[in-house]
Coordinates of all heavy atoms in Angstrom, one line a residue:
F515 N 18.7 40.1 -65.2 CA 17.9 40.7 -66.2 C 16.8 41.6 -65.6 O 15.7 41.7 -66.0 CB 17.2 39.6 -67.0 CG 18.2 38.7 -67.7 CD1 18.7 37.6 -67.0 CD2 18.6 38.9 -69.0 CE1 19.6 36.7 -67.6 CE2 19.6 38.1 -69.6 CZ 20.0 37.0 -68.9
Y516 N 17.2 42.2 -64.5 CA 16.3 43.1 -63.7 C 15.8 44.2 -64.6 O 16.6 44.8 -65.4 CB 17.0 43.6 -62.5 CG 16.1 44.4 -61.6 CD1 15.1 43.7 -60.9 CD2 16.2 45.8 -61.4 CE1 14.2 44.4 -60.1 CE2 15.3 46.4 -60.6 CZ 14.3 45.7 -59.9 OH 13.4 46.4 -59.1
C517 N 14.6 44.5 -64.5 CA 13.9 45.4 -65.4 C 12.7 45.9 -64.7 O 11.9 45.1 -64.2 CB 13.6 44.7 -66.7 SG 12.7 45.6 -67.9
D518 N 12.4 47.2 -64.7 CA 11.3 47.7 -64.0 C 10.1 48.0 -65.0 O 9.1 48.6 -64.6 CB 11.6 48.9 -63.1 CG 12.1 50.1 -63.9 OD1 12.3 50.0 -65.2 OD2 12.4 51.2 -63.3
K519 N 10.3 47.7 -66.2 CA 9.2 47.9 -67.2 C 8.9 46.5 -67.8 O 9.6 45.5 -67.4 CB 9.6 48.8 -68.3 CG 10.8 49.7 -68.1 CD 11.0 50.7 -69.3 CE 12.3 50.5 -69.9 NZ 13.4 50.9 -69.0
S520 N 8.0 46.4 -68.7 CA 7.7 45.1 -69.2 C 8.9 44.5 -70.1 O 9.1 43.4 -70.1 CB 6.4 45.1 -70.0 OG 6.4 46.0 -71.0
V521 N 9.5 45.4 -70.8 CA 10.7 44.9 -71.7 C 11.8 45.9 -71.5 O 11.7 47.1 -71.5 CB 10.3 45.0 -73.2 CG1 11.4 44.4 -74.0 CG2 9.0 44.2 -73.5
C522 N 13.0 45.3 -71.3 CA 14.3 46.1 -71.3 C 15.1 45.6 -72.5 O 15.0 44.4 -72.9 CB 15.0 46.0 -70.0 SG 14.3 46.8 -68.6
K523 N 15.9 46.5 -73.0 CA 16.8 46.2 -74.2 C 17.8 45.0 -73.8 O 18.4 45.1 -72.7 CB 17.6 47.4 -74.6 CG 18.1 47.3 -76.0 CD 18.6 48.7 -76.5 CE 19.9 49.0 -75.7 NZ 20.5 50.3 -76.0
N524 N 18.0 44.0 -74.6 CA 19.0 43.0 -74.4 C 20.4 43.6 -74.6 O 20.6 44.2 -75.7 CB 18.8 41.8 -75.3 CG 17.7 40.9 -74.7 OD1 17.4 40.9 -73.5 ND2 17.2 40.0 -75.6
Q525 N 21.3 43.4 -73.6 CA 22.6 43.9 -73.8 C 23.6 42.8 -73.3 O 23.3 42.1 -72.4 CB 22.8 45.2 -73.0 CG 21.8 46.3 -73.3 CD 22.1 47.6 -72.5 OE1 23.1 48.2 -72.6 NE2 21.1 47.9 -71.7
T526 N 24.8 42.8 -73.9 CA 25.7 41.7 -73.5 C 26.4 42.0 -72.2 O 26.7 41.2 -71.4 CB 26.7 41.4 -74.6 OG1 27.3 42.6 -75.0 CG2 26.0 40.7 -75.8
S527 N 26.8 43.3 -72.0 CA 27.6 43.6 -70.9 C 26.7 43.4 -69.6 O 25.5 43.5 -69.6 CB 28.0 45.1 -71.0 OG 28.3 45.7 -69.8
A528 N 27.5 43.1 -68.5 CA 26.8 42.8 -67.3 C 27.7 43.0 -66.1 O 28.9 43.0 -66.2 CB 26.3 41.3 -67.2
V529 N 27.1 43.2 -64.9 CA 27.9 43.2 -63.7 C 28.2 41.8 -63.4 O 27.4 40.9 -63.4 CB 27.0 43.8 -62.5 CG1 27.8 43.7 -61.2 CG2 26.5 45.2 -62.8
A530 N 29.6 41.5 -63.2 CA 30.0 40.1 -63.0 C 29.8 39.6 -61.6 O 30.1 40.3 -60.7 CB 31.5 40.0 -63.4
L531 N 29.2 38.4 -61.5 CA 28.9 37.9 -60.2 C 29.8 36.7 -59.9 O 29.7 35.7 -60.7 CB 27.4 37.4 -60.1 CG 26.4 38.4 -59.6 CD1 26.5 39.8 -60.2 CD2 25.0 37.9 -59.7
S532 N 30.4 36.6 -58.8 CA 31.2 35.5 -58.4 C 31.3 35.3 -56.9 O 31.3 36.4 -56.2 CB 32.6 35.5 -59.1 OG 33.3 36.6 -58.5
G533 N 31.6 34.1 -56.5 CA 31.7 33.8 -55.1 C 30.5 34.2 -54.2 O 30.5 34.9 -53.3
I534 N 29.4 33.5 -54.6 CA 28.1 33.7 -53.9 C 27.8 32.4 -53.2 O 27.6 31.4 -53.8 CB 27.0 34.1 -54.9 CG1 27.4 35.0 -56.0 CG2 25.8 34.6 -54.1 CD1 27.7 36.4 -55.5
T535 N 27.8 32.4 -51.9 CA 27.6 31.2 -51.1 C 26.3 31.3 -50.3 O 26.0 32.2 -49.7 CB 28.8 31.1 -50.0 OG1 30.0 31.1 -50.7 CG2 28.6 29.9 -49.2
Y536 N 25.6 30.1 -50.5 CA 24.3 30.0 -49.7 C 24.5 28.8 -48.8 O 24.7 27.7 -49.3 CB 23.1 29.7 -50.7 CG 22.9 30.8 -51.7 CD1 23.6 30.8 -52.9 CD2 22.0 31.9 -51.5 CE1 23.4 31.8 -53.8 CE2 21.8 32.9 -52.4 CZ 22.5 32.9 -53.6 OH 22.3 33.8 -54.5
E537 N 24.3 29.0 -47.5 CA 24.3 27.8 -46.7 C 23.2 27.9 -45.6 O 22.8 29.0 -45.1 CB 25.6 27.6 -46.0 CG 26.1 28.8 -45.2 CD 27.4 28.7 -44.5 OE1 28.4 28.1 -45.1 OE2 27.6 29.2 -43.4
K538 N 22.6 26.7 -45.3 CA 21.5 26.7 -44.4 C 20.4 27.7 -44.7 O 20.1 28.6 -44.0 CB 21.9 26.9 -42.9 CG 22.9 25.9 -42.5 CD 23.2 26.1 -41.0 CE 24.6 25.6 -40.6 NZ 25.4 26.5 -39.8
I539 N 19.8 27.5 -45.9 CA 18.6 28.3 -46.2 C 17.4 27.4 -46.1 O 17.3 26.4 -46.8 CB 18.7 28.8 -47.7 CG1 20.1 29.3 -48.0 CG2 17.6 29.9 -47.9 CD1 20.5 30.6 -47.5
R540 N 16.6 27.7 -45.1 CA 15.5 26.7 -44.8 C 14.2 27.4 -44.6 O 14.1 28.5 -44.2 CB 15.8 26.0 -43.5 CG 17.2 25.3 -43.4 CD 17.3 24.6 -42.1 NE 18.5 23.8 -41.9 CZ 19.5 24.1 -41.1 NH1 19.4 25.2 -40.3 NH2 20.5 23.3 -41.0
G541 N 13.1 26.6 -44.9 CA 11.8 27.1 -44.6 C 10.8 26.8 -45.7 O 11.0 25.9 -46.5
T542 N 9.8 27.7 -45.8 CA 8.7 27.4 -46.8 C 8.7 28.6 -47.8 O 8.9 29.7 -47.5 CB 7.3 27.4 -46.1 OG1 7.1 28.6 -45.4 CG2 7.3 26.2 -45.2
Y543 N 8.3 28.2 -49.1 CA 8.1 29.2 -50.1 C 6.7 29.0 -50.8 O 6.1 28.0 -50.5 CB 9.2 29.0 -51.2 CG 9.2 27.7 -51.9 CD1 8.5 27.5 -53.2 CD2 9.8 26.5 -51.4 CE1 8.4 26.3 -53.8 CE2 9.7 25.3 -52.1 CZ 9.1 25.2 -53.3 OH 9.0 24.1 -53.9
T544 N 6.3 30.0 -51.5 CA 5.0 29.9 -52.1 C 5.0 30.0 -53.6 O 4.0 29.8 -54.3 CB 4.1 31.1 -51.6 OG1 4.7 32.3 -52.0 CG2 3.9 31.0 -50.1
V545 N 6.1 30.3 -54.3 CA 6.2 30.3 -55.7 C 7.3 29.4 -56.3 O 7.0 28.4 -57.0 CB 6.3 31.7 -56.3 CG1 6.4 31.7 -57.8 CG2 5.1 32.6 -55.9
K546 N 8.5 29.7 -56.0 CA 9.6 29.0 -56.6 C 10.8 29.1 -55.6 O 11.1 30.1 -55.1 CB 10.1 29.7 -57.9 CG 11.0 28.9 -58.8 CD 11.6 29.8 -59.8 CE 10.7 30.3 -60.9 NZ 11.3 31.0 -62.0
P547 N 11.5 27.9 -55.3 CA 12.5 28.0 -54.3 C 13.7 28.7 -54.7 O 14.3 29.4 -53.8 CB 12.8 26.5 -54.0 CG 12.3 25.8 -55.3 CD 11.2 26.6 -55.8
V548 N 14.2 28.5 -55.9 CA 15.4 29.0 -56.4 C 15.3 29.6 -57.8 O 14.7 28.9 -58.6 CB 16.5 27.9 -56.4 CG1 17.8 28.5 -56.9 CG2 16.8 27.4 -54.9
H549 N 15.8 30.8 -58.0 CA 15.7 31.4 -59.4 C 17.1 32.0 -59.6 O 17.4 33.1 -59.1 CB 14.6 32.4 -59.4 CG 14.5 33.1 -60.8 ND1 13.7 32.5 -61.8 CD2 15.0 34.2 -61.3 CE1 13.8 33.3 -62.9 NE2 14.6 34.3 -62.6
F550 N 17.8 31.4 -60.5 CA 19.2 31.9 -60.8 C 19.2 32.3 -62.3 O 19.2 31.4 -63.2 CB 20.3 30.9 -60.6 CG 20.6 30.6 -59.2 CD1 20.9 29.3 -58.8 CD2 20.7 31.6 -58.2 CE1 21.2 29.0 -57.5 CE2 21.1 31.3 -56.9 CZ 21.3 30.0 -56.5
A551 N 19.1 33.5 -62.7 CA 19.1 33.9 -64.1 C 20.3 34.8 -64.3 O 20.3 36.0 -63.9 CB 17.8 34.7 -64.4
C552 N 21.4 34.2 -64.8 CA 22.6 34.9 -65.0 C 22.8 35.3 -66.4 O 22.2 34.8 -67.3 CB 23.8 34.0 -64.5 SG 23.7 33.7 -62.7
S553 N 23.8 36.2 -66.6 CA 24.1 36.8 -67.9 C 24.6 35.7 -68.9 O 25.4 34.9 -68.5 CB 25.1 37.9 -67.7 OG 25.8 38.1 -68.8
D554 N 24.2 35.8 -70.1 CA 24.8 34.9 -71.2 C 26.3 35.1 -71.3 O 27.0 34.2 -71.4 CB 24.0 35.1 -72.5 CG 22.6 34.7 -72.4 OD1 21.8 35.5 -71.9 OD2 22.3 33.6 -72.9
A555 N 26.6 36.4 -71.4 CA 28.0 36.8 -71.7 C 28.9 36.6 -70.4 O 30.1 36.1 -70.6 CB 28.1 38.2 -72.1
L556 N 28.4 36.8 -69.3 CA 29.2 36.6 -68.0 C 28.4 35.8 -67.1 O 27.7 36.3 -66.2 CB 29.5 38.0 -67.4 CG 30.4 39.0 -68.0 CD1 30.4 40.3 -67.3 CD2 31.8 38.4 -68.0
P557 N 28.5 34.5 -67.2 CA 27.8 33.6 -66.3 C 28.2 33.8 -64.8 O 29.3 34.3 -64.6 CB 28.3 32.2 -66.8 CG 28.8 32.3 -68.1 CD 29.4 33.7 -68.2
C558 N 27.3 33.4 -63.9 CA 27.7 33.5 -62.5 C 28.6 32.4 -62.2 O 28.5 31.3 -62.6 CB 26.4 33.4 -61.7 SG 25.2 34.6 -61.9
M559 N 29.7 32.8 -61.4 CA 30.7 31.8 -61.1 C 30.8 31.6 -59.6 O 30.6 32.5 -58.8 CB 32.1 32.4 -61.5 CG 32.1 32.9 -62.9 SD 32.8 31.6 -64.0 CE 34.5 32.0 -63.7
D560 N 31.2 30.4 -59.2 CA 31.4 30.0 -57.8 C 30.2 30.3 -57.0 O 30.3 30.9 -55.9 CB 32.7 30.8 -57.2 CG 33.9 30.4 -58.0 OD1 34.1 29.2 -58.3 OD2 34.7 31.4 -58.3
V561 N 29.1 29.8 -57.5 CA 27.9 29.8 -56.7 C 27.8 28.5 -55.9 O 27.8 27.5 -56.5 CB 26.6 30.0 -57.6 CG1 25.3 29.9 -56.8 CG2 26.7 31.3 -58.3
S562 N 27.8 28.6 -54.6 CA 27.9 27.4 -53.8 C 26.7 27.2 -52.9 O 26.2 28.2 -52.3 CB 29.2 27.5 -53.0 OG 29.1 27.0 -51.7
L563 N 26.2 26.0 -52.9 CA 24.9 25.7 -52.2 C 25.2 24.6 -51.2 O 25.6 23.5 -51.6 CB 23.8 25.3 -53.1 CG 23.4 26.3 -54.2 CD1 22.4 25.7 -55.1 CD2 22.7 27.5 -53.6
T564 N 24.9 24.9 -49.9 CA 25.1 23.9 -48.9 C 23.9 23.9 -47.9 O 23.5 25.0 -47.4 CB 26.3 24.2 -48.0 OG1 27.4 24.4 -48.9 CG2 26.6 23.1 -47.0

Side-chain angles (χ1 to χ4, degrees):
F515 301 88
Y516 187 68
C517 177
D518 62 356
K519 347 184 233 296
S520 55
V521 184
C522 286
K523 202 170 67 180
N524 278 341
Q525 301 182 64
T526 49
S527 161
V529 179
L531 265 51
S532 64
I534 318 292
T535 301
Y536 301 87
E537 57 181 38
K538 298 188 208 132
I539 319 283
R540 301 182 177 116
T542 58
Y543 65 93
T544 60
V545 176
K546 192 194 292 188
V548 174
H549 180 88
F550 287 140
C552 295
S553 154
D554 294 79
L556 288 175
C558 297
M559 308 262 277
D560 301 319
V561 173
S562 146
L563 299 173
T564 307

